[in-house]
Amino acid sequence: MSREETVAKSCVIGSVVLPRDASYEIDAAVALAAVRRGLPNAPDGYTPQSGDCPSKRPVVRSASNVSPNEASWLEKRRNNTVGAMRDLLGRLNIANFDAQTYINNNAKNASALPNVGVAVSGGGYRALMNGAGALAAFDSRTNNSTSPGHLGGLLQASTYLSGLSGGSWLVGSLFMNNFTTVPELLADTTSTVWEFGNSIFTGPATSGIQVLSTAQYYNHIYDTVTAKSDAGFNTSITDYWGRALSFQLLNATDGGPAYTWSSIAQQSDFTNGNWPMPIAVADGRAPGERVISSNATVYEFNPFEFGTWDPTTYGFVPMEFLGSNFSGGVLPNDKKCVRGFDNAGYVMGTSSSLFNQFLLQLNNTNIPSLFRSALSKILEQVDQDNNDIATYSPNPFYHYHNETSKNAQSESLFLVDGGEDLQNIPLHPLIQPYRNVDVIFAVDSSADTDYLWPNGTSLVATYERSLDSSGLQNGTSFPHIPDQNTFVNLGLNKRPTFFGCNPANVSGPSPLIVYIPNSPYVYYSNVSTFDPSTNNTERNAIIQNGYAVATRANGTTDAQWPTCVACAILSRSFERTRTTVPDVCQQCMRTYCWDGKTNNTTPAKYEPTNTVTLVDVKSGAGRSRLATTAQLILVLITVSALLL
């Protein structure tokens, strides 16, 4: 049966809620408001523009702490999480411990309270949808998410939300649509936002807010990118890729060409600390390099700044003025300030530049001639030797830290997909000591195994990087992580696992990692990273599965799971306040903490079975969802290109 077949009534989505009973039906009774949009504040659509600088000219600041803007925002945000934290922990019910009183007693000292981060991995649309299910579960605005067994409110209690590649699409889409909810994005019928059945290669359906034919769609993308080039800015395939993504992720006419990442910092709900901070991640690639190694410089995009904590560059520039001609850390007096370079789609496209291969390989696949001719028009403009990069020119770190940065001598900074160094969960921004994050909920939708399930590779990569003897880790520490075979053999990739439970075993201050791997609870969500489209039926089922994974099927597979989440959140706070750990939390740690045991023998092919009753989705995929031949060829071509 085809994936386009409709789902049974139990799979209709109006809200991604899984009731606690065994039916797993989704409540469709609540009508949701139309998705609001962010700020289209770029001066000339997609084309960056030079103009007057503020009286205090922008500079590159040292990464010796968080920025003054972030520090000011943090004071508001941490205080604003107190109420949400109190409500969440009170509902999660730690036996013989009054969590609400504990929060109240420490409310005047927010630094004593838990500092929570959420990180959503890469993995294309699979990562977006699985991550969406987790965020819906964590969001108190989701219908029924604050019922017994659920985790609603965790998002409101979080300080940071990071995304990488497909995860950055999720994070970016939520924030560029005014930090809307997952159910609102799913319920909106006035636009084509999150209509993934409309392939990114054909463009939006000719209805609603987007009224372009496929030819018009490609012409619009081509024209906007050409205008940027004509204005004197270097372009790459990522410009085209980012513009195409925007049509699916932003609820705005023509994919919102004027929407910028820095506009998030101009929205009152963010500046007042009512939202967590969104962060997207990309890797640097030095001129002439083709292989992204584990010691690649990791860059982040937050609403205030773009830059890196790594000692290679160790600097940040104001996000609003990205594209300005910095040199040696300053903007010369004869240079104008550029605005509008930080297009939101371009940022999300940069974090997922591996998907540039989509555009390169489509011309060799069996697609209609109309699509091929439209793509040829794009590909003729692109340097095929740099097909996996995003070009940031002028380089904001030109001649900055010449002695340590491989990019300092280049007039262009080249960035690639944030998962190319194998750190497919964007933990790097959240483990920086200056941010003092206590616990990170790491949602992993990676396709590490033959059947496209995670096996801990991303955690292993981050752990190994933290051991780098050259000083690359720059004061960060990370819990000990076992090898991938151990993950599979001991089932650590089948259910949530805590890492770093005993801080005495970590070389320095380190957050507790709550690892939440994609696994089949109510649907086999192991769709290919390189699937270019997903119909609404399967989209909804994958999101539903992500909700079930995060909540352990609303506590039905382990009634103590919500309590254990509360214990994980409070773990580091208990240490700071010297609070006796409740008995139930000690029991949770025995249940969910990795105990240090390993089994590195080669496992059989990992082919998990569903944890609870599957939702009734008709699909020809089946649970043994190996990558198709075409998808494997695409991956091989990608890897080969990187090795040239």
Side-chain angles (χ1 to χ4, degrees):
M1 307 292 285
S2 73
R3 294 185 183 181
E4 284 68 30
E5 290 193 49
T6 55
V7 65
K9 289 181 180 179
S10 63
C11 237
V12 175
I13 287 200
S15 166
V16 286
V17 172
L18 297 176
R20 192 176 174 85
D21 64 24
S23 68
Y24 294 98
E25 292 181 355
I26 294 179
D27 182 6
V30 179
L32 296 167
V35 177
R36 301 161 295 165
R37 294 188 290 277
L39 297 176
N41 66 328
D44 188 21
Y46 190 72
T47 305
Q49 289 288 304
S50 298
D52 293 335
C53 293
S55 57
K56 185 177 181 181
R57 295 178 67 81
V59 298
V60 179
R61 75 163 184 90
S62 170
S64 57
N65 209 328
V66 297
S67 70
N69 283 333
E70 183 174 342
S72 176
W73 173 86
L74 270 171
E75 184 176 356
K76 300 174 185 176
R77 180 59 186 166
R78 292 300 310 279
N79 286 324
N80 285 353
T81 62
V82 171
M85 189 80 66
R86 180 176 54 242
D87 293 344
L88 171 67
L89 297 177
R91 283 187 285 102
L92 297 186
N93 190 26
I94 300 177
N96 301 316
F97 178 77
D98 190 339
Q100 293 182 319
T101 297
Y102 177 83
I103 296 298
N104 288 336
N105 289 343
N106 291 282
K108 293 183 178 179
N109 179 18
S111 62
L113 296 179
N115 190 9
V116 180
V118 178
V120 184
S121 82
Y125 291 104
R126 180 188 63 252
L128 183 155
M129 293 180 288
N130 183 59
L135 293 190
F138 297 160
D139 192 340
S140 62
R141 299 170 296 175
T142 301
N143 189 32
N144 288 343
S145 67
T146 57
S147 300
H150 296 251
L151 302 177
L154 193 155
L155 182 61
Q156 282 67 30
S158 298
T159 306
Y160 296 101
L161 174 58
S162 63
L164 179 157
S165 197
S168 77
W169 306 348
L170 169 63
V171 173
S173 186
L174 293 175
F175 280 86
M176 296 314 301
N177 291 301
N178 278 12
F179 193 49
T180 189
T181 69
V182 170
E184 285 176 340
L185 287 167
L186 294 176
D188 180 27
T189 59
T190 64
S191 75
T192 57
V193 67
W194 281 38
E195 293 293 329
F196 304 132
N198 300 327
S199 170
I200 200 166
F201 307 122
T202 62
T206 54
S207 62
I209 199 169
Q210 315 284 10
V211 290
L212 301 178
S213 68
T214 298
Q216 291 172 323
Y217 168 70
Y218 279 115
N219 284 336
H220 176 80
I221 292 174
Y222 173 77
D223 289 344
T224 53
V225 176
T226 298
K228 177 180 177 179
S229 178
D230 290 345
F233 294 91
N234 292 342
T235 58
S236 61
I237 298 183
T238 303
D239 286 276
Y240 299 99
W241 174 240
R243 290 298 305 126
L245 279 174
S246 296
F247 279 84
Q248 291 191 331
L249 302 178
L250 275 64
N251 183 19
T253 303
D254 295 338
Y259 288 73
T260 64
W261 199 259
S262 59
S263 73
I264 298 169
Q266 299 178 22
Q267 298 184 65
S268 60
D269 276 328
F270 177 78
T271 58
N272 291 333
N274 296 326
W275 300 348
M277 177 179 287
I279 302 174
V281 172
D283 290 337
R285 196 188 80 181
E289 285 186 348
R290 300 301 298 170
V291 178
I292 304 302
S293 64
S294 61
N295 64 356
T297 301
V298 179
Y299 290 86
E300 72 171 59
F301 301 82
N302 68 59
F304 298 120
E305 295 182 310
F306 163 75
T308 178
W309 301 93
D310 287 354
T312 48
T313 300
Y314 199 59
F316 286 86
V317 295
M319 180 65 69
E320 181 182 4
F321 301 114
L322 191 61
S324 302
N325 205 340
F326 292 91
S327 181
V330 300
L331 187 63
N333 290 331
D334 62 341
K335 300 296 183 182
K336 295 282 190 178
C337 281
V338 171
R339 294 175 174 84
F341 190 98
D342 62 316
N343 175 269
Y346 190 57
V347 170
M348 292 184 282
T350 298
S351 184
S352 60
S353 69
L354 182 64
F355 290 84
N356 290 351
Q357 301 297 325
F358 269 160
L359 295 180
L360 286 176
Q361 301 307 321
L362 273 180
N363 216 29
N364 296 322
T365 61
N366 185 25
I367 62 174
S369 59
L370 175 63
F371 303 164
R372 286 200 302 271
S373 62
L375 285 171
S376 294
K377 186 176 181 181
I378 294 174
L379 295 176
E380 287 171 0
Q381 311 300 319
V382 175
D383 178 0
Q384 302 270 338
D385 291 333
N386 291 300
N387 51 53
D388 68 324
I389 67 166
T391 302
Y392 283 70
S393 180
N395 178 5
F397 305 110
Y398 185 57
H399 287 320
Y400 184 74
H401 288 173
N402 290 328
E403 65 284 0
T404 56
S405 174
K406 295 180 180 180
N407 291 298
Q409 304 301 321
S410 174
E411 294 183 354
S412 296
L413 177 65
F414 302 115
L415 301 182
V416 298
D417 190 296
E420 289 196 29
D421 62 356
L422 299 184
Q423 296 186 90
N424 200 39
I425 306 175
L427 297 166
H428 186 268
L430 307 187
I431 63 175
Q432 297 307 314
Y434 300 117
R435 286 186 166 141
N436 299 302
V437 175
D438 290 322
V439 56
I440 303 173
F441 290 83
V443 181
D444 191 5
S445 305
S446 303
D448 302 323
T449 69
D450 290 335
Y451 293 116
L452 311 181
W453 301 104
N455 68 1
T457 292
S458 181
L459 292 187
V460 172
T462 300
Y463 169 61
E464 291 179 345
R465 193 178 197 268
S466 74
L467 303 178
D468 187 277
S469 60
S470 69
L472 181 67
Q473 77 278 12
N474 197 32
T476 61
S477 59
F478 198 72
H480 186 79
I481 302 295
D483 64 282
Q484 292 94 325
N485 288 349
T486 293
F487 267 86
V488 176
N489 288 326
L490 300 186
L492 305 182
N493 65 331
K494 175 68 173 176
R495 62 169 180 83
T497 303
F498 300 168
F499 295 96
C501 296
N502 185 353
N505 293 334
V506 184
S507 59
S510 171
L512 179 71
I513 305 298
V514 178
Y515 180 61
I516 304 177
N518 184 26
S519 187
Y521 273 65
V522 298
Y523 186 69
Y524 285 94
S525 54
N526 54 329
V527 296
S528 171
T529 303
F530 295 98
D531 275 352
S533 65
T534 301
N535 67 70
N536 287 354
T537 297
E538 186 162 48
R539 176 200 68 182
N540 296 347
I542 293 173
I543 292 173
Q544 185 174 353
N545 189 75
Y547 193 111
V549 170
T551 62
R552 302 219 70 193
N554 305 330
T556 58
T557 60
D558 180 5
Q560 203 171 56
W561 171 241
T563 297
C564 293
V565 168
C567 294
I569 291 171
L570 285 165
S571 176
R572 297 295 192 254
S573 179
F574 283 157
E575 296 164 17
R576 286 196 296 275
T577 59
R578 299 183 179 180
T579 299
T580 301
V581 179
D583 290 343
V584 68
C585 288
Q586 295 183 41
Q587 181 180 342
C588 282
M589 295 303 171
R590 289 192 293 270
T591 300
Y592 284 100
C593 289
W594 174 54
D595 59 8
K597 295 179 181 177
T598 62
N599 179 350
N600 57 14
T601 59
T602 301
K605 284 187 177 181
Y606 179 65
E607 191 176 2
T609 56
N610 55 295
T611 301
V612 290
T613 304
L614 293 173
V615 294
D616 186 12
V617 175
K618 300 298 189 294
S619 170
R623 69 186 180 94
S624 301
R625 202 190 303 249
L626 281 165
T628 66
T629 302
Q631 290 157 357
L632 288 173
I633 291 173
L634 178 58
V635 173
L636 291 172
I637 291 173
T638 301
V639 173
S640 298
L642 294 175
L643 294 174
L644 290 177

